[in-house]
Amino acid sequence: MNSTKFWDKAAAKYAKSPISDMSGYLETLERIRTVLKPHHRVLEIGCGTGSTALELAEGVDQYTATDVSSKMIAIAKSKQSADTPKNLRFETQEAGKLANGSHDVVLALNLLHLLPNLEDVLTQIHDELPVGGLFISKTTLLTDGACYLRPMISVMRLFGKAPYVRMLGNAELKDMLKSTGFDVKETLSQSGIAPRLFIVCQKT
């Protein structure tokens, strides 16, 4: 099952699932808010059902939130109301095919470990951003997590219960970003069975 079909099938259940680490999520939101500025034009890739976009869009000039799953985007659009910031739009789009337009900031939250073409996507993000542009990510580090995660995910994938997942570690991800041409400005580690790493990078 490819990624699009998997996430289309999972969309309804995903939308109903509570955030597993609410304190970590809120901490991440606060860190992002301190980085984003009112003039920023933001692109979020892998936005899921749009919860983070709805939280952050009000603080920036433009916010485009994309996901490979049209079912996820449909749910995101259904959350919009008269109070939703007018600068926010949701679009179905692959992570490696960035939305048209100029962006000062690209967000990829809980996404990079799900990309089989990660190196290509990072290169495209780097090329799309202007000098001084920011790339903000939060990534699950399965290499640094519990030893049973790798075999468990392999079995789940056999039965169509898990998408493609890349085993990434802290040092590997930072080195990958640096080799792409990003300067790592800020990091935040969140512990757990599968640790997560929040990174703010800048194109120099």
PDB file of all heavy atoms in Angstrom, residues 29 31 46 56 60 73 77 92-94 99 106 108 115 129 150 155 168 178 189 202:
ATOM      1  N   LEU A  29       4.474  23.899  19.713  1.00  0.00           N
ATOM      2  CA  LEU A  29       3.723  25.048  19.206  1.00  0.00           C
ATOM      3  C   LEU A  29       4.301  26.366  19.723  1.00  0.00           C
ATOM      4  O   LEU A  29       4.454  27.330  18.967  1.00  0.00           O
ATOM      5  CB  LEU A  29       2.253  24.950  19.624  1.00  0.00           C
ATOM      6  CG  LEU A  29       1.305  24.120  18.786  1.00  0.00           C
ATOM      7  CD1 LEU A  29      -0.108  24.205  19.367  1.00  0.00           C
ATOM      8  CD2 LEU A  29       1.302  24.557  17.324  1.00  0.00           C
ATOM      9  N   ARG A  31       7.337  26.981  20.787  1.00  0.00           N
ATOM     10  CA  ARG A  31       8.648  27.259  20.190  1.00  0.00           C
ATOM     11  C   ARG A  31       8.490  27.791  18.766  1.00  0.00           C
ATOM     12  O   ARG A  31       9.204  28.705  18.341  1.00  0.00           O
ATOM     13  CB  ARG A  31       9.508  25.989  20.190  1.00  0.00           C
ATOM     14  CG  ARG A  31       9.867  25.467  21.575  1.00  0.00           C
ATOM     15  CD  ARG A  31      10.770  26.417  22.345  1.00  0.00           C
ATOM     16  NE  ARG A  31      12.156  26.323  21.950  1.00  0.00           N
ATOM     17  CZ  ARG A  31      13.056  25.514  22.521  1.00  0.00           C
ATOM     18  NH1 ARG A  31      12.707  24.721  23.519  1.00  0.00           N
ATOM     19  NH2 ARG A  31      14.307  25.510  22.116  1.00  0.00           N
ATOM     20  N   GLY A  46       2.793  17.938   4.864  1.00  0.00           N
ATOM     21  CA  GLY A  46       2.358  16.865   5.751  1.00  0.00           C
ATOM     22  C   GLY A  46       1.509  17.397   6.893  1.00  0.00           C
ATOM     23  O   GLY A  46       1.711  17.029   8.046  1.00  0.00           O
ATOM     24  N   LEU A  56      -1.577  28.144  14.083  1.00  0.00           N
ATOM     25  CA  LEU A  56      -0.461  29.045  13.783  1.00  0.00           C
ATOM     26  C   LEU A  56      -0.761  30.114  12.735  1.00  0.00           C
ATOM     27  O   LEU A  56      -0.066  31.133  12.677  1.00  0.00           O
ATOM     28  CB  LEU A  56       0.749  28.233  13.302  1.00  0.00           C
ATOM     29  CG  LEU A  56       1.368  27.256  14.302  1.00  0.00           C
ATOM     30  CD1 LEU A  56       2.474  26.449  13.621  1.00  0.00           C
ATOM     31  CD2 LEU A  56       1.925  27.988  15.512  1.00  0.00           C
ATOM     32  N   VAL A  60       0.868  34.855  11.081  1.00  0.00           N
ATOM     33  CA  VAL A  60       1.746  35.089   9.934  1.00  0.00           C
ATOM     34  C   VAL A  60       0.962  35.744   8.791  1.00  0.00           C
ATOM     35  O   VAL A  60      -0.256  35.892   8.855  1.00  0.00           O
ATOM     36  CB  VAL A  60       2.390  33.778   9.445  1.00  0.00           C
ATOM     37  CG1 VAL A  60       3.231  33.157  10.547  1.00  0.00           C
ATOM     38  CG2 VAL A  60       1.330  32.788   8.960  1.00  0.00           C
ATOM     39  N   ILE A  73      -6.957  16.359   3.866  1.00  0.00           N
ATOM     40  CA  ILE A  73      -7.225  17.750   3.520  1.00  0.00           C
ATOM     41  C   ILE A  73      -8.721  18.048   3.595  1.00  0.00           C
ATOM     42  O   ILE A  73      -9.133  19.139   4.031  1.00  0.00           O
ATOM     43  CB  ILE A  73      -6.657  18.079   2.126  1.00  0.00           C
ATOM     44  CG1 ILE A  73      -5.110  18.053   2.155  1.00  0.00           C
ATOM     45  CG2 ILE A  73      -7.161  19.434   1.633  1.00  0.00           C
ATOM     46  CD1 ILE A  73      -4.484  19.077   3.087  1.00  0.00           C
ATOM     47  N   LYS A  77     -10.269  21.015   5.867  1.00  0.00           N
ATOM     48  CA  LYS A  77     -11.156  22.055   5.358  1.00  0.00           C
ATOM     49  C   LYS A  77     -12.471  22.099   6.136  1.00  0.00           C
ATOM     50  O   LYS A  77     -13.060  23.170   6.317  1.00  0.00           O
ATOM     51  CB  LYS A  77     -11.422  21.837   3.870  1.00  0.00           C
ATOM     52  CG  LYS A  77     -10.221  22.147   2.988  1.00  0.00           C
ATOM     53  CD  LYS A  77     -10.536  21.930   1.518  1.00  0.00           C
ATOM     54  CE  LYS A  77      -9.368  22.315   0.629  1.00  0.00           C
ATOM     55  NZ  LYS A  77      -9.660  22.081  -0.817  1.00  0.00           N
ATOM     56  N   THR A  92      -4.077  19.617  -1.435  1.00  0.00           N
ATOM     57  CA  THR A  92      -3.537  18.270  -1.565  1.00  0.00           C
ATOM     58  C   THR A  92      -2.279  18.337  -2.415  1.00  0.00           C
ATOM     59  O   THR A  92      -2.321  18.812  -3.552  1.00  0.00           O
ATOM     60  CB  THR A  92      -4.569  17.323  -2.222  1.00  0.00           C
ATOM     61  OG1 THR A  92      -5.768  17.334  -1.458  1.00  0.00           O
ATOM     62  CG2 THR A  92      -4.023  15.906  -2.290  1.00  0.00           C
ATOM     63  N   GLN A  93      -1.168  17.871  -1.871  1.00  0.00           N
ATOM     64  CA  GLN A  93       0.104  17.986  -2.581  1.00  0.00           C
ATOM     65  C   GLN A  93       1.113  17.031  -1.976  1.00  0.00           C
ATOM     66  O   GLN A  93       1.154  16.838  -0.768  1.00  0.00           O
ATOM     67  CB  GLN A  93       0.634  19.420  -2.494  1.00  0.00           C
ATOM     68  CG  GLN A  93       1.895  19.709  -3.289  1.00  0.00           C
ATOM     69  CD  GLN A  93       1.682  19.571  -4.785  1.00  0.00           C
ATOM     70  OE1 GLN A  93       1.815  18.467  -5.331  1.00  0.00           O
ATOM     71  NE2 GLN A  93       1.347  20.668  -5.442  1.00  0.00           N
ATOM     72  N   GLU A  94       1.947  16.422  -2.819  1.00  0.00           N
ATOM     73  CA  GLU A  94       3.026  15.571  -2.332  1.00  0.00           C
ATOM     74  C   GLU A  94       4.098  16.428  -1.665  1.00  0.00           C
ATOM     75  O   GLU A  94       4.333  17.572  -2.064  1.00  0.00           O
ATOM     76  CB  GLU A  94       3.647  14.783  -3.491  1.00  0.00           C
ATOM     77  CG  GLU A  94       2.729  13.751  -4.116  1.00  0.00           C
ATOM     78  CD  GLU A  94       3.410  13.011  -5.241  1.00  0.00           C
ATOM     79  OE1 GLU A  94       4.662  12.979  -5.268  1.00  0.00           O
ATOM     80  OE2 GLU A  94       2.694  12.470  -6.101  1.00  0.00           O
ATOM     81  N   ALA A  99       4.230  23.482  -3.003  1.00  0.00           N
ATOM     82  CA  ALA A  99       3.187  24.342  -3.557  1.00  0.00           C
ATOM     83  C   ALA A  99       3.804  25.547  -4.251  1.00  0.00           C
ATOM     84  O   ALA A  99       4.857  26.048  -3.847  1.00  0.00           O
ATOM     85  CB  ALA A  99       2.241  24.786  -2.448  1.00  0.00           C
ATOM     86  N   VAL A 106       9.294  26.869   5.825  1.00  0.00           N
ATOM     87  CA  VAL A 106       8.671  25.578   5.531  1.00  0.00           C
ATOM     88  C   VAL A 106       8.637  24.765   6.818  1.00  0.00           C
ATOM     89  O   VAL A 106       9.658  24.653   7.515  1.00  0.00           O
ATOM     90  CB  VAL A 106       9.434  24.808   4.438  1.00  0.00           C
ATOM     91  CG1 VAL A 106       8.832  23.412   4.246  1.00  0.00           C
ATOM     92  CG2 VAL A 106       9.400  25.568   3.116  1.00  0.00           C
ATOM     93  N   ALA A 108       7.717  21.007   8.597  1.00  0.00           N
ATOM     94  CA  ALA A 108       7.500  19.570   8.371  1.00  0.00           C
ATOM     95  C   ALA A 108       7.471  18.913   9.746  1.00  0.00           C
ATOM     96  O   ALA A 108       8.518  18.592  10.307  1.00  0.00           O
ATOM     97  CB  ALA A 108       8.606  18.980   7.509  1.00  0.00           C
ATOM     98  N   LEU A 115       9.121   9.727   4.934  1.00  0.00           N
ATOM     99  CA  LEU A 115       9.406  10.011   3.524  1.00  0.00           C
ATOM    100  C   LEU A 115      10.465   9.062   2.967  1.00  0.00           C
ATOM    101  O   LEU A 115      11.624   9.109   3.380  1.00  0.00           O
ATOM    102  CB  LEU A 115       9.889  11.453   3.369  1.00  0.00           C
ATOM    103  CG  LEU A 115       8.906  12.553   3.789  1.00  0.00           C
ATOM    104  CD1 LEU A 115       9.567  13.919   3.644  1.00  0.00           C
ATOM    105  CD2 LEU A 115       7.632  12.484   2.965  1.00  0.00           C
ATOM    106  N   LEU A 129      13.491  27.696  -0.704  1.00  0.00           N
ATOM    107  CA  LEU A 129      13.586  28.793   0.257  1.00  0.00           C
ATOM    108  C   LEU A 129      14.558  29.874  -0.208  1.00  0.00           C
ATOM    109  O   LEU A 129      15.570  29.573  -0.838  1.00  0.00           O
ATOM    110  CB  LEU A 129      14.051  28.267   1.611  1.00  0.00           C
ATOM    111  CG  LEU A 129      13.018  27.518   2.466  1.00  0.00           C
ATOM    112  CD1 LEU A 129      13.706  26.837   3.644  1.00  0.00           C
ATOM    113  CD2 LEU A 129      11.931  28.474   2.969  1.00  0.00           C
ATOM    114  N   ARG A 150      11.614  -1.346  15.738  1.00  0.00           N
ATOM    115  CA  ARG A 150      11.913  -1.734  14.358  1.00  0.00           C
ATOM    116  C   ARG A 150      11.171  -3.005  13.950  1.00  0.00           C
ATOM    117  O   ARG A 150      10.461  -3.008  12.927  1.00  0.00           O
ATOM    118  CB  ARG A 150      13.423  -1.887  14.155  1.00  0.00           C
ATOM    119  CG  ARG A 150      13.825  -2.134  12.702  1.00  0.00           C
ATOM    120  CD  ARG A 150      15.310  -2.481  12.612  1.00  0.00           C
ATOM    121  NE  ARG A 150      16.143  -1.382  13.063  1.00  0.00           N
ATOM    122  CZ  ARG A 150      16.659  -0.470  12.251  1.00  0.00           C
ATOM    123  NH1 ARG A 150      16.403  -0.526  10.950  1.00  0.00           N
ATOM    124  NH2 ARG A 150      17.419   0.483  12.722  1.00  0.00           N
ATOM    125  N   VAL A 155       6.423  -5.734  11.138  1.00  0.00           N
ATOM    126  CA  VAL A 155       5.261  -6.631  11.158  1.00  0.00           C
ATOM    127  C   VAL A 155       3.985  -5.864  10.830  1.00  0.00           C
ATOM    128  O   VAL A 155       3.143  -6.317  10.039  1.00  0.00           O
ATOM    129  CB  VAL A 155       5.129  -7.323  12.537  1.00  0.00           C
ATOM    130  CG1 VAL A 155       3.809  -8.089  12.623  1.00  0.00           C
ATOM    131  CG2 VAL A 155       6.301  -8.264  12.772  1.00  0.00           C
ATOM    132  N   LEU A 168      15.618   6.819  11.763  1.00  0.00           N
ATOM    133  CA  LEU A 168      16.533   7.953  11.828  1.00  0.00           C
ATOM    134  C   LEU A 168      17.044   8.144  13.244  1.00  0.00           C
ATOM    135  O   LEU A 168      16.329   7.858  14.214  1.00  0.00           O
ATOM    136  CB  LEU A 168      15.826   9.236  11.390  1.00  0.00           C
ATOM    137  CG  LEU A 168      15.514   9.410   9.900  1.00  0.00           C
ATOM    138  CD1 LEU A 168      14.604  10.607   9.700  1.00  0.00           C
ATOM    139  CD2 LEU A 168      16.799   9.575   9.100  1.00  0.00           C
ATOM    140  N   LYS A 178      22.595  19.453   7.519  1.00  0.00           N
ATOM    141  CA  LYS A 178      23.795  20.260   7.273  1.00  0.00           C
ATOM    142  C   LYS A 178      24.356  19.994   5.877  1.00  0.00           C
ATOM    143  O   LYS A 178      24.784  20.924   5.184  1.00  0.00           O
ATOM    144  CB  LYS A 178      24.846  19.973   8.338  1.00  0.00           C
ATOM    145  CG  LYS A 178      24.469  20.498   9.725  1.00  0.00           C
ATOM    146  CD  LYS A 178      25.480  20.069  10.787  1.00  0.00           C
ATOM    147  CE  LYS A 178      25.065  20.538  12.170  1.00  0.00           C
ATOM    148  NZ  LYS A 178      25.994  20.057  13.227  1.00  0.00           N
ATOM    149  N   SER A 189      14.971  18.416  22.194  1.00  0.00           N
ATOM    150  CA  SER A 189      14.747  16.964  22.254  1.00  0.00           C
ATOM    151  C   SER A 189      13.603  16.662  23.207  1.00  0.00           C
ATOM    152  O   SER A 189      13.536  17.219  24.312  1.00  0.00           O
ATOM    153  CB  SER A 189      16.019  16.251  22.720  1.00  0.00           C
ATOM    154  OG  SER A 189      17.067  16.434  21.793  1.00  0.00           O
ATOM    155  N   GLN A 202      18.268  27.230   9.043  1.00  0.00           N
ATOM    156  CA  GLN A 202      18.233  28.402   8.168  1.00  0.00           C
ATOM    157  C   GLN A 202      19.057  28.149   6.930  1.00  0.00           C
ATOM    158  O   GLN A 202      20.150  27.554   6.991  1.00  0.00           O
ATOM    159  CB  GLN A 202      18.753  29.633   8.902  1.00  0.00           C
ATOM    160  CG  GLN A 202      18.595  30.936   8.132  1.00  0.00           C
ATOM    161  CD  GLN A 202      18.967  32.129   8.984  1.00  0.00           C
ATOM    162  OE1 GLN A 202      19.962  32.118   9.701  1.00  0.00           O
ATOM    163  NE2 GLN A 202      18.163  33.180   8.916  1.00  0.00           N
TER     164      GLN A 202
END
